[in-house]
Amino acid sequence: MAKKEWKQRLIPKSALFKASMIFETFVQCAYNYERMMGMAVGHTFLPVVKYLYPNDKEKQIDLMTREMEFFNVHVEFGSCILGLAISLEEEKAMGADIPNEFITNIKTSLMGPLAGVGDTIYQGVLIPILLALCIDITQSGNGNIWGSVIYLVVMAVLSYALSYGNFMFGYNAGSEAIMDFLEKGTLNKLLQGASIMGCMVMGGLIVNYVSASCGIVINASGTEFSIQESLFDAVLPNILPLGATMGIFALLQKKWTSIKIILLIVAVGIVGGLFNILA
């Protein structure tokens, strides 16, 4: 799809900006099992549909009905799909031969890959890093609220900026550029790099925020031998926090619920404390 000049377009920049802000702000306000984000996508099209078919109510209804079908993706990274859909609807309104099914199929085919990118990079890397930094700031003094304030401001700015940038990228670049990006293997490299970074972040978080230590002390010939200090700390520090984390992960993989895992942690803590197994 060739990039058009603004004078050839039906939708003004102000309407596109408003549409992107609606998607980022209200996308998670109308979930349902039948359409997931479909209602929010229809809401996103409200500022632009009047420019596409200003005097044709039937075509407006047809567009809104089509765009309210099932949709589910990571919000900030998936916003480019909404920009792309608006661009295709605009082309269609200007006379291009674009079947309704094509627009639906493009949206459906991009949901999965972009959800994977967003969940891996945004939720697996960016959010944990920012949370770790802000938690440390909050814990640095009594009554220190700056960590919470910084997290709130940075997350809001980052979310809206990333969502709007991706929205406009999808609108300007078109389906060919996005599909080219996915087919060249760039996506797999990006996901691999993000996964490695995510593992590093999780390792750092385990060391700082997971506490587990062995309380067993062996008395032999008047000498005390601490399992934690003389063995674990000397050979492999933080092995117990790592083991506890990986054990919980294994339980999650086996479909244990969070409630069961919490109860198990409480039980292990009580038993370990009573018998001095855990310190």
Side-chain angles (χ1 to χ4, degrees):
M1 181 186 301
K3 183 177 178 180
K4 306 182 295 295
E5 298 296 331
W6 276 102
K7 64 181 181 180
Q8 294 178 296
R9 297 185 171 182
L10 302 175
I11 307 171
K13 288 183 178 180
S14 59
L16 291 172
F17 177 78
K18 185 176 181 180
S20 69
M21 293 299 102
I22 287 175
F23 182 71
E24 175 63 29
T25 306
F26 300 110
V27 65
Q28 304 204 53
C29 294
Y31 272 104
N32 63 68
Y33 285 109
E34 181 185 2
R35 300 171 186 252
M36 294 301 286
M37 297 177 177
M39 295 288 289
V41 174
H43 188 190
T44 302
F45 270 80
L46 283 179
V48 303
V49 66
K50 59 185 178 182
Y51 293 102
L52 299 180
Y53 304 106
N55 301 311
D56 195 329
K57 198 71 174 179
E58 290 300 321
K59 288 188 177 180
Q60 290 183 15
I61 294 173
D62 179 63
L63 183 151
M64 295 297 289
T65 302
R66 178 169 59 254
E67 295 299 340
M68 288 174 59
E69 295 175 356
F70 180 90
F71 188 78
N72 191 35
V73 75
H74 184 271
V75 179
E76 285 73 29
F77 281 80
S79 62
C80 69
I81 303 178
L82 273 295
L84 171 60
I86 289 175
S87 178
L88 292 173
E89 293 287 3
E90 186 179 42
E91 292 275 359
K92 183 178 179 67
M94 294 172 65
D97 185 18
I98 300 177
N100 295 346
E101 295 78 12
F102 176 78
I103 300 175
T104 301
N105 291 339
I106 282 290
K107 289 166 58 182
T108 303
S109 64
L110 292 176
M111 285 191 302
L114 290 174
V117 173
D119 291 342
T120 302
I121 297 178
Y122 204 76
Q123 299 180 12
V125 178
L126 294 179
I127 290 179
I129 290 176
L130 183 59
L131 273 176
L133 292 174
C134 292
I135 289 173
D136 285 339
I137 293 173
T138 301
Q139 292 180 338
S140 63
N142 293 329
N144 188 345
I145 65 170
W146 284 110
S148 302
V149 174
I150 291 172
Y151 180 81
L152 178 64
V153 172
V154 172
M155 279 302 300
V157 172
L158 182 63
S159 296
Y160 277 92
L162 186 60
S163 181
Y164 178 71
N166 282 327
F167 183 93
M168 294 307 298
F169 168 74
Y171 178 75
N172 290 315
S175 59
E176 293 179 3
I178 296 177
M179 294 303 295
D180 186 58
F181 169 79
L182 296 175
E183 291 171 356
K184 280 187 175 180
T186 307
L187 175 63
N188 293 332
K189 295 177 181 178
L190 192 62
L191 287 176
Q192 184 178 12
S195 298
I196 294 171
M197 177 62 74
C199 290
M200 295 172 61
V201 171
M202 290 300 107
L205 292 178
I206 290 170
V207 171
N208 287 320
Y209 298 107
V210 179
S211 297
S213 60
C214 181
I216 299 175
V217 177
I218 300 174
N219 291 310
S221 302
T223 303
E224 292 187 346
F225 180 83
S226 172
I227 299 294
Q228 180 66 45
E229 295 177 1
S230 302
L231 179 60
F232 292 154
D233 290 347
V235 178
L236 191 60
N238 296 303
I239 182 61
L240 289 184
L242 176 62
T245 303
M246 297 308 296
I248 292 172
F249 177 75
L251 293 177
L252 290 172
Q253 294 294 100
K254 292 183 178 181
K255 308 301 182 183
W256 275 49
T257 65
S258 57
I259 299 298
K260 288 183 179 179
I261 293 175
I262 291 172
L263 293 176
L264 177 62
I265 293 173
V266 171
V268 171
I270 292 174
V271 174
L274 288 176
F275 294 95
N276 293 322
I277 299 173
L278 298 175

